[in-house]
DNA sequence: TATGGTCCCGAAAGGCCTTTCGACAGCACC
DNA sequence: GGTGCTGTCGAAAGGCCTTTCGGGACCATA
């Protein structure tokens, strides 16, 4: 780490190694026409002096900033952090750095950040929504590749990565069926959310395939624990014989579990429960712990980042929405604790 | 927004406005010696062509990148997101952008990111820990200002901002006392955490000041809902007459509330509860909702960012740990619901 | 008309790196 | 000893912006 002095420049290194600026550059960048002994001398000098090339100068040359913008409206970081980690992985930490901008759900602020990122000459932009509903496209006139993660763009010309909520719904049901449950109900959140509808569709499709009817109708209302509690109470009253519940979020599941507990139903023996999100602070602290479907957001972030790279390398992915596989994490609510 | 063509350079603008490169630059930057009519012409042209200066070239000149690094180990984003927002506010969104790097609790990765940020020539670095324990300093040899947020540095020569856990503990108790509670107990997490000790110290100090004894000893164990449940059960068994509980985190409070409910104690009438973190997904979904102490992390982030600016402007803050005021958010657990 | 002063403008340098291209040394071969 | 090749190196330009500084136009004054 350099101490507070002037930052070391390549010409300092060259001088110290007794070669010309050009040779030093070639030595540093592994170009061919430099003798091995010379290269060693230069690299040693660079190392000794803690030289790192000034990225501003490099950008100026290469017309690439090795920088990516992450534009989000996810205030709590629930979705954006895993995506960020995936992106870091894809780029190889340190080779590309990520500007994180939080639009706070305000489209004016979003435009503002967008302009700033473009001015910055980022090499690409990943837009991370806070729900899986499709969101307005940023348009086609942005001079760098843009990819949408979690919330897909509403313009089919854009590239989007989003969790496969339908398949996730199937998975949840199939898991319950495999446990021998046949009286399965579905508690969901706001009907206006794509996530709610897609998960419900997956649930119903899987049940239909198995020839097992859904118990009652899917119950939509809001994404809260309170609704989870109330919905569960309602279900038990109408269908005392149910033995499985798919809750559309961990919050709903927590509420449902509370009601089940209060009404004396054992989970998972009497009623098994699965849900979505795998939000650890909720799923692993409940009684029992909650089986939940994880959206592999880190993988999703990695894929999004990679697609930006591919586009830059002239190999753009086909436009459209890519539905990303999910993964069931089994916990106490759907398997007997030992 | 420029379409995919070559990015517009200042000389393009100058040509279009019929002035020299230098004049265009001066017009853009509000320098004095350019006629008002000329300036207007240049600005119009720049606007029309969607010109934004290439930051690489600017950095090269100014030796400032208008870029800050946020180095964190907070995987879930619970703390880093508010700090990021505060920093964006302090810098004025768009004028300075933030590189977010996640070290994932790995000190090797942290060093790696640190080197990358320094190579990037960021103007400053904000280090965000995931707990309020002091953390190893990054050292004094970093060529840009460094400030520690949430987790203070263990080196008193560094500048740190951390929540005032002690004062927060006092606040929690004083609130309960103001409600008329006199039999107050304290449930905490891992004793090895500074947050646990500081909050407990504040709790005890406030009680001592009021001449009210703490009920039992503070109960330390782990930061989980399960411990919250167990600790509450233990307390009620030993001290059936208690009427107030300070839980050291929202997770603990949730557990405590569950036990209280199961044992038929009304909250807040029989027993009032307060806690720390104000993690909305926990605090606002519990039965009843939880009064909790918010750490004003956004303000804290703003202060941290500003201190970097001040340092750059030659006005560095005094080194040491700054304890940041907190704020009680009152909810159902400590006030009768209407 | 010459002189001095004001305004504005533009040529050029500087910041740091990469790349091209030409130069030069050394060697082998005829 | 000349010719041509290979292998190594360095001068210089280019990328984009800002700043310095000198010069030109214009006006007013003597």
């Amino acid at each position: 780490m350099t101490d507070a002095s002037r930052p070391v420049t390549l010409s300092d290194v060259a001088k110290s190694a007794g070669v010309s600026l050009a040779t030093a550059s070639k030595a540093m960048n592994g170009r061919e026409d430099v003798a091995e002994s010379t290269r060693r001398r230069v690299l040693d000098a660079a190392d000794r002096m803690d030289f790192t090339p000034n990225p501003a100068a490099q950008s100026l040359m290469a017309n690439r900033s090795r920088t990516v913008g992450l534009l989000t409206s996810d205030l709590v970081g629930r979705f954006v952090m895993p995506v960020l980690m995936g992106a870091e992985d894809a780029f190889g930490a340190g080779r590309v750095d990520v500007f994180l901008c939080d639009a706070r759900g305000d489209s004016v602020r979003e435009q503002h950040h967008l302009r700033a990122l473009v001015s910055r000459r980022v090499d690409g932009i990943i837009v991370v929504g806070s729900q899986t509903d499709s969101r307005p496209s940023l348009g086609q006139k942005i001079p760098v590749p843009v990819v949408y993660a979690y919330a897909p763009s509403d313009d089919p010309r854009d590239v989007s990565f989003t969790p496969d909520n339908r398949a996730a719904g199937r998975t949840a049901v199939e898991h319950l069926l495999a446990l021998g449950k046949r009286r399965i109900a579905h508690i969901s959140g706001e009907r206006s959310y794509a996530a709610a509808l897609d998960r419900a569709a997956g649930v119903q499709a899987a049940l239909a395939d198995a020839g097992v009817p859904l118990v009652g109708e899917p119950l939509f209302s809001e994404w809260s624990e309170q609704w989870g509690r109330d919905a569960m109470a309602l279900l038990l009253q109408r269908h005392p014989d149910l033995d499985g519940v798919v809750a559309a979020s961990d919050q709903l599941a927590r509420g449902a579990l509370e009601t089940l507990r209060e009404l004396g139903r054992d989970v998972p023996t009497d009623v098994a429960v699965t849900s979505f999100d795998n939000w650890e602070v909720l799923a692993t602290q409940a009684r029992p712990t909650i089986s939940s479907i994880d959206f592999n957001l880190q993988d999703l972030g990695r894929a999004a980042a990679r697609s930006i790279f591919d586009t830059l390398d002239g190999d753009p992915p086909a436009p459209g929405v890519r539905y990303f596989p999910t993964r069931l994490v089994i916990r106490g609510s759907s398997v007997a604790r030992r």
Side-chain angles (χ1 to χ4, degrees), chain A:
Chain A
M1 214 90 328
T2 316
D3 19 1
S5 56
R6 296 269 134 265
V8 180
T9 80
L10 183 57
S11 79
D12 295 333
V13 174
K15 209 165 298 171
S16 159
V19 300
S20 84
L21 187 59
T23 304
S25 170
K26 281 180 281 197
M28 294 292 302
N29 298 350
R31 300 288 304 282
E32 272 314 319
D33 52 351
V34 60
E36 200 45 51
S37 63
T38 311
R39 160 161 305 142
R40 165 118 288 119
R41 216 155 15 103
V42 172
L43 290 180
D44 285 355
D47 220 44
R48 181 158 26 81
M49 307 172 77
D50 263 324
F51 167 76
T52 53
N54 185 327
Q58 284 183 310
S59 301
L60 209 48
M61 270 304 317
N63 225 15
R64 284 238 189 145
S65 60
R66 298 195 333 197
T67 270
V68 166
L70 207 52
L71 189 52
T72 185
S73 353
D74 171 22
L75 298 93
V76 290
R78 167 81 185 89
F79 306 114
V80 79
M81 290 301 292
V83 171
L84 171 77
M85 298 208 289
E88 279 183 349
D89 289 349
F91 295 135
R95 293 199 21 72
V96 167
D97 289 307
V98 179
F99 284 119
L100 182 53
C101 303
D102 195 330
R104 307 179 201 181
D106 172 355
S107 75
V108 173
R109 207 187 291 260
E110 181 175 276
Q111 278 300 317
H112 184 79
H113 276 306
L114 176 60
R115 297 193 73 85
L117 287 174
V118 171
S119 303
R120 274 265 176 229
R121 310 290 202 267
V122 293
D123 292 335
I125 296 177
I126 303 177
V127 181
V128 181
S130 56
Q131 7 155 324
T132 60
D133 288 82
S134 69
R135 49 147 294 148
S137 172
L138 293 179
Q140 308 301 311
K141 311 193 67 171
I142 300 166
V144 296
V146 177
V147 44
Y148 297 78
Y150 203 68
S153 160
D154 62 4
D155 186 331
R157 291 170 294 175
D158 291 323
V159 176
S160 305
F161 293 87
T162 194
D164 191 340
N165 276 314
R166 249 187 99 95
R170 299 193 74 101
T171 303
V173 164
E174 284 159 7
H175 176 58
L176 292 180
L177 290 172
L179 295 175
K181 308 297 182 183
R182 288 297 178 274
R183 305 282 300 150
I184 297 171
H186 183 41
I187 298 175
S188 191
E190 289 185 36
R191 181 179 256 120
S192 62
Y193 279 58
L197 297 180
D198 294 342
R199 289 168 195 172
V203 164
Q204 289 182 299
L207 285 171
D209 286 359
V212 175
L214 180 70
V215 170
E217 289 297 307
L219 294 176
F220 295 95
S221 175
E222 56 166 38
W223 301 106
S224 71
E225 291 190 36
Q226 185 58 49
W227 167 239
R229 291 188 278 259
D230 293 345
M232 192 70 238
L234 210 65
L235 279 174
L236 286 176
Q237 185 184 333
R238 290 191 195 154
H239 314 282
D241 61 337
L242 67 75
D243 59 9
V245 172
V246 176
S249 80
D250 290 333
Q251 290 206 350
L252 295 171
R254 288 212 48 151
L257 286 184
E258 274 189 51
T259 296
L260 286 166
R261 175 177 203 81
E262 282 174 8
L263 298 188
R265 306 301 179 100
D266 183 80
V267 178
T269 310
D270 298 339
V271 181
V273 176
T274 64
S275 70
F276 301 79
D277 285 349
N278 194 29
W279 198 350
E280 307 247 333
V281 69
L282 294 177
T284 68
Q285 298 287 314
R287 256 184 318 177
T289 55
I290 304 172
S291 294
S292 190
I293 289 186
D294 189 287
F295 293 131
N296 293 324
L297 290 173
Q298 195 162 338
D299 291 350
L300 196 146
R302 196 170 339 196
R306 217 188 302 275
S307 97
I308 284 184
F309 257 0
D310 291 346
T311 305
L312 289 173
D313 294 345
D315 180 24
V321 180
R322 207 116 337 148
Y323 293 94
F324 224 75
T326 58
R327 161 176 67 97
L328 174 65
V329 176
I330 299 176
R331 296 203 183 84
S333 71
S334 73
V335 69
R337 285 160 292 173
R338 75 252 94 87

